[in-house]
């Protein structure tokens, strides 16, 4: 079985662990804009180690023991909150069932994921565990995430993400971290598209330089 990697956090997620998959290839509900402006696609191109890690995670999902390995690795994470899919999405019912299993086996933790797969008829999300918050990036359902061109375009009732997720400030840091996406009773969150566009531009430039 391929080695499964859980990220301990990143610049945005701070102390929140995450499990990710290759961008685009595991995103059956993605739109043309998603594929064009995907910042994780660029990240995978610029960072071969990240790409290889996500590819190994994907291969591991086909193993019969994957759900048990995922359960154990999530259990070992020191934080109370973890995220699925900084990159990637729910791509098969078998994978969805494995994620649900791992969440149920870690009742003391809270999990969340943004997804464009929730509306797809080939998948069944009805038996989602209570400690997993699924936020639709397809602008449907109780919990939604949208992208805005400018912060001023954030609709009424939506919270503009400031990019500082977490539960506890880091030592010596006066930054107030946000836990809105997994604690609010109803989530309506907006992301500023400038980050996505700049990432896509950088990816395109790199692609042209490489002649691919």
């Amino acid at each position: 079985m391929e080695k499964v990697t859980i990220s301990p956090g990143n610049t945005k997620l701070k102390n929140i662990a995450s499990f990710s998959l290759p961008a685009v290839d595991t995103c059956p509900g993605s739109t043309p804009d998603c594929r064009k402006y995907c910042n994780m696609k660029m990240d995978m191109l610029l960072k071969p180690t990240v790409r290889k890690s996500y590819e190994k995670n994907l291969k591991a999902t086909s193993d019969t023991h994957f759900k048990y390995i995922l359960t154990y690795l999530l259990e070992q994470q020191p934080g109370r909150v973890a995220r699925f899919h900084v990159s990637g999405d729910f791509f098969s019912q078998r994978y969805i069932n494995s994620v649900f299993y791992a969440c149920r086996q870690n009742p003391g933790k809270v999990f969340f994921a943004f997804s464009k797969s929730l509306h797809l008829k080939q998948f069944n999300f009805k038996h989602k565990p209570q400690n997993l918050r699924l936020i639709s990036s397809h602008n449907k359902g109780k919990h939604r995430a949208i992208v805005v061109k400018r912060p001023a375009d954030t609709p009424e009732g939506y919270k503009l993400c400031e990019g500082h997720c977490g539960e506890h400030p880091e030592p010596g840091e006066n930054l107030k971290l946000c836990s809105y996406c997994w604690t609010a009773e109803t989530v309506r969150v907006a992301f500023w598209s400038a980050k996505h566009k700049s990432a896509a531009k950088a990816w395109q430039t790199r692609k042209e330089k490489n002649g691919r």
Side-chain angles (χ1 to χ4, degrees):
M1 179 176 177
E2 293 285 354
K3 179 183 178 181
V4 177
T5 300
I6 303 289
S7 170
N10 58 29
T11 303
K12 178 181 178 182
L13 292 177
K14 301 300 180 185
N15 57 345
I16 299 176
S18 63
F19 175 81
S20 291
L21 299 167
V24 181
D25 291 344
T26 61
C27 302
S30 63
T31 65
D33 277 350
C34 285
R35 295 186 286 274
K36 182 178 180 181
Y37 297 123
C38 180
N39 63 304
M40 290 311 302
K41 182 169 63 175
M42 180 207 70
D43 206 42
M44 289 171 57
L45 179 69
L46 299 180
K47 302 176 182 178
T49 54
V50 171
R51 184 187 71 250
K52 290 179 181 179
S53 174
Y54 292 171
E55 289 174 346
K56 287 183 178 181
N57 281 353
L58 177 59
K59 289 181 180 179
T61 64
S62 63
D63 192 282
T64 55
H65 297 95
F66 170 70
K67 66 180 182 180
Y68 305 113
I69 299 298
L70 182 63
T71 296
Y72 172 76
L73 292 176
L74 291 172
E75 184 182 63
Q76 299 306 304
Q77 301 306 308
R80 189 181 70 92
V81 180
R83 174 182 172 180
F84 289 99
H85 312 147
V86 170
S87 172
D89 204 340
F90 296 105
F91 67 94
S92 73
Q93 190 62 52
R94 178 178 178 175
Y95 172 63
I96 292 169
N97 294 342
S98 294
V99 169
F100 285 7
Y101 177 88
C103 292
R104 290 194 186 96
Q105 298 305 310
N106 283 280
K109 293 181 181 292
V110 178
F111 304 92
F112 70 105
F114 297 93
S115 176
K116 273 190 167 65
S117 297
L118 306 182
H119 70 290
L120 298 179
K121 294 182 179 180
Q122 67 262 39
F123 299 146
N124 182 0
F125 291 93
K126 292 182 179 179
H127 303 294
K128 177 186 73 66
Q130 292 185 346
N131 62 335
L132 172 61
R133 170 68 57 83
L134 297 180
I135 305 167
S136 172
S137 299
H138 207 264
N139 202 23
K140 293 183 178 182
K142 179 179 179 180
H143 307 298
R144 305 179 184 182
I146 62 172
V147 175
V148 294
K149 292 182 178 180
R150 302 174 303 166
D153 295 333
T154 304
E156 183 177 354
Y158 279 74
K159 178 180 177 62
L160 181 66
C161 176
E162 297 181 357
H164 303 301
C165 308
E167 289 197 301
H168 305 289
E170 297 177 358
E173 185 175 348
N174 294 319
L175 181 66
K176 183 178 181 180
L177 301 180
C178 178
S179 60
Y180 173 79
C181 288
W182 61 89
T183 58
E185 183 175 345
T186 299
V187 171
R188 295 285 191 274
V189 61
F191 298 94
W192 185 16
S193 64
K195 177 180 178 181
H196 297 272
K197 289 186 177 180
S198 62
K201 183 177 180 180
W203 180 85
Q204 186 63 36
T205 300
R206 179 64 178 269
K207 180 179 179 183
E208 292 172 355
K209 286 183 177 179
N210 291 343
R212 311 186 262 175

